[in-house]
Amino acid sequence: MTRFDVLTVGNAIVDIIARCDDQFLIDNKITKAAMNLIDAERAELLYSRMGPALEASGGSAGNTAAGVANFGGRAAYFGKVAEDQLGEIFEHDIRAQGVHYETKPKGTFPPTARSMIFVTEDGERSMNTYLGACVEFGPEDVEPDVVAEAKVTYFEGYLWDPPRAKEAIRECARIAHAHGREVSITLSDSFCVGRYRDEFLDLMRSGTVDIVFANHDEALSLYETEDFDTALRLIAADCKIAAVTTGKDGAVIVRGNERYVVDAHPIEERVDTTGAGDLFAAGFLFGYTQGRSLEDCGKLGNLAAAIVIEQIGPRPMKSLSEAAKEFGLL
């Protein structure tokens, strides 16, 4: 018996989301469709230049935990906030989703992380993230009993930016594998892959990580190739299971010599892609921990991604379990 289906570990961030045009990105030297790490001074500058904004709890792994819980799964989360207003918002929101969250906050400085997210007319999101209290996350924040009692421990590649978090992740992996559990990573961003390619490959090849999530560009970046089939062949050799999203084409899931192409779930309007990859992982891992086929896992992931793309903000405002039932997936 296990207490949790999925434990996620990541940067606890409150998203501040506003619409803009492409010229705004150019004028403010923001790399489009990427996660740009910024300092406190630039965070204040960009905030002062934002239009009307929506505040919503985010953070890649936090979104995934919320998605698993929304499907009806048992989710837990590790991530560091400060004792401030944004920290209280984050704590309230993730617990209100039914996610186990007991990481102790870290004083008032540095403050809770925030990400200024600019959404252009094409629905693409460009993130500018001040990590704040996230950099304080370390091995002392690992709850060994939670790791031991989770079927899958999932962490975001972004967590490789704060140095002490690496120690915490390795400790989680040690505990998980000692109890016969599995460990998963999302590569997070092609620029993140560029920073930590060798370390990510070592995590996979050493067996520290069992299940890998990536998008098309991250997979190409990981193997420094322009051929997608080559990237799929290599990633299949380096880990137990890989789920690679391909935008409007859906996803490809590989396990050894098995390959499943899963069509994207149809959407009416591409409003905001913030959280799409996080929710794909949520649907996939929910299905996986319920013993569903890899193809069904991909369908659940694509459904969750489609739902979050049709709204502003990274956490679905509608019931994923009800939507899955409506489409015959549960």
Side-chain angles (χ1 to χ4, degrees):
M1 295 294 292
T2 53
R3 185 176 165 201
F4 301 106
D5 296 312
V6 183
L7 161 66
T8 75
V9 189
N11 290 323
I13 298 170
V14 175
D15 293 338
I16 304 170
I17 307 168
R19 291 194 173 278
C20 74
D21 56 22
D22 284 288
Q23 190 59 48
F24 180 91
L25 301 182
I26 295 168
D27 292 344
N28 288 279
K29 298 181 173 59
I30 296 169
T31 304
K32 185 173 181 178
M35 194 280 282
N36 307 270
L37 282 176
I38 59 174
D39 59 19
E41 183 179 359
R42 180 152 172 81
E44 291 295 329
L45 174 67
L46 290 178
Y47 185 69
S48 72
R49 295 178 178 178
M50 288 185 98
L54 166 75
E55 289 184 357
S57 294
S60 175
N63 296 337
T64 299
V68 170
N70 195 323
F71 269 111
R74 301 165 300 164
Y77 176 73
F78 298 164
K80 203 77 164 173
V81 297
E83 293 175 315
D84 55 18
Q85 184 180 7
L86 290 184
E88 290 174 3
I89 289 172
F90 186 92
E91 288 178 344
H92 169 270
D93 287 355
I94 199 160
R95 288 172 180 159
Q97 291 273 2
V99 176
H100 169 92
Y101 176 57
E102 297 297 335
T103 307
K104 289 182 172 58
K106 175 73 174 181
T108 57
F109 187 84
T112 297
R114 70 285 316 267
S115 183
M116 269 64 71
I117 301 179
F118 297 94
V119 181
T120 41
E121 292 178 0
D122 57 2
E124 193 57 79
R125 86 284 185 270
S126 305
M127 300 179 289
N128 303 266
T129 303
Y130 168 58
L131 288 176
C134 291
V135 301
E136 302 295 331
F137 181 79
E140 68 277 7
D141 295 305
V142 172
E143 299 167 53
D145 59 324
V146 174
V147 181
E149 296 181 73
K151 293 179 183 176
V152 177
T153 293
Y154 166 96
F155 68 95
E156 59 190 65
Y158 289 138
L159 207 63
W160 234 241
D161 286 311
R164 294 181 65 248
K166 296 182 183 183
E167 300 174 43
I169 290 300
R170 293 188 186 280
E171 176 63 6
C172 284
R174 185 193 66 75
I175 296 168
H177 285 139
H179 288 82
R181 314 302 188 196
E182 291 179 297
V183 177
S184 178
I185 183 177
T186 173
L187 299 185
S188 293
D189 183 290
S190 55
F191 291 94
C192 187
V193 173
R195 291 194 294 275
Y196 302 113
R197 178 179 296 107
D198 290 344
E199 291 180 73
F200 288 171
L201 286 170
D202 180 66
L203 289 171
M204 295 159 60
R205 291 167 178 168
S206 67
T208 304
V209 162
D210 304 291
I211 304 168
V212 177
F213 290 88
N215 65 24
H216 176 276
D217 291 346
E218 292 156 9
L220 295 182
S221 176
L222 184 64
Y223 293 103
E224 298 180 283
T225 180
E226 295 182 2
D227 184 75
F228 187 52
D229 279 339
T230 296
L232 287 176
R233 178 174 53 80
L234 292 171
I235 202 169
D238 281 340
C239 61
K240 180 179 175 182
I241 297 170
V244 184
T245 56
T246 52
K248 61 182 177 58
D249 294 324
V252 182
I253 298 136
V254 293
R255 177 172 58 191
N257 293 325
E258 301 172 54
R259 183 178 295 193
Y260 304 91
V261 178
V262 185
D263 291 337
H265 190 86
I267 61 171
E268 293 182 8
E269 182 184 6
R270 189 175 191 253
V271 175
D272 175 14
T273 59
T274 306
D278 308 331
L279 269 295
F280 174 85
F284 186 98
L285 288 172
F286 170 73
Y288 184 75
T289 55
Q290 304 307 307
R292 303 294 294 271
S293 69
L294 292 183
E295 190 171 11
D296 280 353
C297 293
K299 289 178 180 178
L300 287 163
N302 283 341
L303 170 66
I307 287 172
V308 82
I309 285 170
E310 293 183 314
Q311 65 169 54
I312 290 285
R315 298 187 184 175
M317 299 174 191
K318 64 189 291 187
S319 168
L320 295 176
S321 62
E322 290 302 316
K325 290 172 186 174
E326 178 184 344
F327 289 99
L329 296 175
L330 282 183

